[in-house]
Amino acid sequence: PIYCLDNGTEGSVSIAGIDWYDGFTGPDNQVPTLCVGFENGRVQIMRSDADDKPVLIDTQLRCTGLKWDPNGMTVAIAGMQSQQQAGPGPDREVGVVQFYAPTGQHMRTLRVPGTNLRSISWEGNGLRLALAVDSHIFFANIRPDYLWGYFSKTLVYAVLKKERSEHVVVFWDTQSDEKYTKYIKHVTHIRSSEEYCVLVTKADDASGQHIVIVCNDIGSPVDSKYLHIEPLHVAMTSSHIIVASEDVVYIWMYRSSVSKHSDRAGELAGMIGGNKRRTEMMFHIDESFAPGTGVHDKEGFVPPSAPAQDPIACITATEHCFLVARESGLVQRYSLPHLSIEARFAIRCRPQVIAANCDSTRMSVIDINGMLTLYDVEVRSAARSSMIIDHEADKQAQQPDQPGTQLDFERKDVWNMRWASDNPDLFAIMEKTRMYIIRGLQPEEPVLSNAYICSFKDLQIQSVLIDEVIQNPESPRKEVLLDFETKSLRDTRDILTKVSNLKDAFNYVDANPHPRLWRLLAEAALDMLDFTVAEKAFVRFEDYQGIQLVKRLRILDDKVKQKAEVAAYFQRFDEAEALYREIDRKDLAIDLRVRLGDWFRVIQLAHGGNEDLLQQAWSSIGDYYADRGKWNNAAQYYAKAQNNSALVDTYYFLEDYHNLEKLIDILPEGSPLLSDIGNKFSLVGLCEQAVKAFTRFGDVKTAVDTCVMLNQWDLAVDLAQQQNFQQIEGLLAKYAQHLLDKNKKIEAVQLYRKANRHTEAAKLLSQLAKEMPGGAQKNPDRIKKLYLLAALEVEKFKTKTLDVQMTGATAGTLTTAQTVQSLITADQNVASDKALESPWRGCEGYHLYLVAQRQLYEGHYEQAMKTALRLADYEDILDTQTIFSIIALTTYYNKFFMQCSKAFIKLEASTDISEEMRKKFADLALRIFTRNRPDDPPSRMDSCPKCKQQIPDWSVACPHCNYRLPFCVASGRSIFSKERTGNPAEEVGVLSNASGVVKCRCCRHRMYTSEVRKIRNCPLCHSKLAPDTPGPSSSSMGGLGPGPGLGPGMGPGMGPGDLYGGGGHHRFG
């Protein structure tokens, strides 16, 4: 469908041209590509042939043709436009080419001489346009508005990579020739200031937001903001970024700027209660507001719903203000950083590019036809009182004292311009293929150039052939960078070169003053040692350091010294050093190199001389390598310089902890570096080295704290005891309680063991054994291990107590009283807890239970019964049902029905067993004893070791003298053979054939030699029973190996009387 024609005219207007762009259309494929133009000047641009929302343009031409450029970013529409004659004659037509963006934005108008413009065609790279006019072919150079900027000797530019659907943004350091490349999608604008540049991109999502990114000269983002408006125009200063859509202006103060008011005034405002300066502001272009009012925060701003009647055409900004030009020609000036409108005036053109000079007094305007005009925009006091001008007054000529007065200066076909950053009267323009430098309103001689102007400072213009850079973005050549000098700078150089008398040069510079010229004159005067002219030039240049240099040179009595100082000032350092050495002043040459920081040369010059200077040089060279991350080289030079402070950091960065530990012994006691070394070791978890450093520093508390932090409690306790540091006990208790509160009992046991708090570890292990889920039915082996570990901890405690009592006692000096006293002390420490008083009891109970179960399952019923009967002594360890169930089971299988009957009586009478289970036990007993009499069969008899009476070999205690028989931990049988305590082999756990019994040297439990001939470890505590080995060292938490122990190890005997607590027998009938 055709939307650009009026209703009823379809079919009556001829098509003048149609062009469908067939190249790459971007990642979203939403860029209009089909352009249709009609003879009446109506043009329609569509995304496809079925686009129902095309871009409609009325060119006001008699259209003759149209063409897309090779990149699809510009459409050129050619035609003839009627132009009124000054006289009464008929209107005449002139050739016109109008350039439009795909979105319909009018970019530029090109007027062509001739009477009939018939056709146009683009060059392949899009930089030239061929026009067929009458019988001639014209070529027009196209200057695209590239995405580029220049700041801090860095050229930044963006090129669309069609194969990647994103822009490659290159930051090219033009001095070092280093390049930093970033890939960013949807880059729309690039602007730059002194130290930073800003990239404006479209967010890569459906939110429609745009991102404003501030980058430094290597492309690293410094800050960024999100915007909800479409950024059509962007300007940047050293402190502000201004972004504008068609009708909304956004200001972001990305750096703290210099206030127009004094700092004192700002402090007073803060004291009164003034608001903090806002860094982001937004306002509508039609709003009028007084200073400090009417501006909105970005979050609080509500954009207008109606489109702007007079949209923004372009903007520019300086350090003091920014100007907004609208399509109607209305220009509005706002102050910075305190935002307020300062003036509003009109210009007689449609502006496309505006710019302001360095002091914001003049504005240049390039309109849509390429015409450059100048305006005086200085805001004077009279203008401030009436800054809002009526629209009718805008149409009249501006008064000379009002902003907006047009100056008598016009240039045609201008496509680029730049104001000088240090002179408000200087600017450079690009007109066709020539560069003009304008001083005031007078142009200098032009220079042929197609380069874009980067900067204009110190009478020197830097420019770049950006067309060639864009054609080869990955590897630009330095030849594309061009420098141009102004006429005054060139003339001054010629005068200084050709004339030996500096008076003529001084008079010329005086007539054409500029800081750059005064500096040039001062440097030439210094070279000639004409200090009078040099001083005058430095004064006019306002260079205080130069004035001081001249004063210092005048004091010197030797011209060679003066020449050397001048050479050093011009950075000709080798020449200066050679001059010093000519007059045999090696000390001055060394001093020069020291001032320069050329320490490698200092070492060469000072070799064999001042040792302090050499140490300073070595240390500085170490700093040089350290700054570049070459830590190995830095360490070598720091060691030569004996710079221990730097060595500490260097070894730490190198992770050379061995050499870092060596420094602890080298440094004197109390050195602050020892504390630094200790902190570094503690950070990497090297506790011993950290403690060594802190101790040598004299900070015991920090050393103990480090041990605690790294969970080295044994080291902490030892250190606290050595240094008489009392607070460790409280820390230990606090940390242990913290672990217990989190139910981390195993970790608490580890903590106590590391801190050598054996009794607390044993208590916790016993508690863990008692609380083990499932009990003896599910985890008997694990419970036995826990009881074993608890017993071993108690043995360690007893051993440690005896060792402490014996410390310092020489052989033969420890009396019996002292030994008894140590044993009493140990007994008092463990008597408070039953688990500590009889440490092996829990381990014995579960060990016998496991042995009985194994024997029962292997079918050794007699042995199982003998083992199970002994479990009756451990009702405090195992529950009643478990004990007497296995006794009943083993005695039943062994046909000892009397013992079986006693076990059932205990099961039926126990209140610890549920009523339901007791009933089941009673029923089972009834079934058993209705068939079997409760009698025991005859058994083998043996003599009691104490009273020599004959008793059954399955007896646990002698019924005559109540002697508790020890048992074999390997088989569970009672031991009847008499102990031979005088046998040394028996005491240390070596097998003794004479007695037939062996005693474990760790747990002190006995076993028959016949039972342990095929095993190497004690069945109870798992310590080794090798004849030639005194035994292993203390066990660790992860295993079951025992530690050294003392004491008998057997639990207390039960009282006299019946083994099961009395109570009758089952009978028949």
Side-chain angles (χ1 to χ4, degrees), residues 135 148 280 357 384 443 445 448 457 459 644 668-669 769 836 858 869 917 1011:
S135 58
W148 73 285
E280 294 183 87
N357 62 356
R384 288 182 186 273
E445 293 179 5
L448 288 176
K457 187 178 182 182
L459 302 179
N644 292 325
E669 290 188 5
L836 304 181
E858 291 175 354
L869 285 173
M917 287 302 298
E1011 298 286 349

Side-chain angles (χ1 to χ4, degrees), residues 196-268:
Y196 299 97
C197 73
V198 60
L199 309 179
V200 181
T201 68
K202 187 177 180 181
D204 193 17
D205 52 29
S207 64
Q209 296 187 31
H210 290 76
I211 313 172
V212 180
I213 309 169
V214 177
C215 298
N216 59 15
D217 53 0
I218 61 172
S220 298
V222 177
D223 201 355
S224 62
K225 299 291 181 184
Y226 280 81
L227 285 181
H228 292 278
I229 62 172
E230 183 180 3
L232 300 178
H233 315 283
V234 182
M236 185 181 192
T237 71
S238 61
S239 56
H240 290 78
I241 293 171
I242 295 94
V243 180
S245 65
E246 286 189 347
D247 53 358
V248 174
V249 179
Y250 163 78
I251 303 103
W252 173 23
M253 187 176 70
Y254 70 96
R255 288 179 65 182
S256 59
S257 59
V258 180
S259 174
K260 286 192 172 183
H261 304 287
S262 66
D263 292 339
R264 181 63 184 161
E267 291 177 9
L268 290 174

Side-chain angles (χ1 to χ4, degrees), residues 113 140 223 238 330 357 386 521 573 635 719 726 975 1036:
D223 201 355
S238 61
L330 182 65
N357 62 356
S386 58
L521 178 62
F573 305 116
L719 185 64
Q726 302 298 328
I975 295 177
S1036 64

Side-chain angles (χ1 to χ4, degrees), residues 365 370-373 409-414 427 429 431 434 436 438 441 443 446:
V365 178
M371 178 76 74
L372 172 70
T373 52
F409 182 86
E410 282 189 1
R411 305 293 292 194
K412 294 181 179 179
D413 298 325
V414 177
F427 63 93
I429 62 172
E431 182 180 305
R434 291 184 296 274
Y436 288 88
I438 316 294
L441 301 178

Side-chain angles (χ1 to χ4, degrees), residues 298-316:
K298 187 179 79 168
E299 290 76 11
F301 179 76
V302 179
S305 56
Q309 298 299 319
D310 186 10
I312 297 172
C314 49
I315 64 173
T316 188

Side-chain angles (χ1 to χ4, degrees), residues 635-673:
Q636 295 175 11
Y637 283 98
Y638 284 144
K640 286 183 178 180
Q642 298 179 6
N643 188 346
N644 292 325
S645 176
L647 267 178
V648 169
D649 293 328
T650 305
Y651 287 147
Y652 183 67
F653 280 118
L654 285 171
E655 298 182 5
D656 187 355
Y657 303 121
H658 178 67
N659 281 322
L660 188 59
E661 186 179 1
K662 286 183 178 179
L663 282 178
I664 298 175
D665 299 323
I666 296 173
L667 293 170
E669 290 188 5
S671 171
L673 287 177

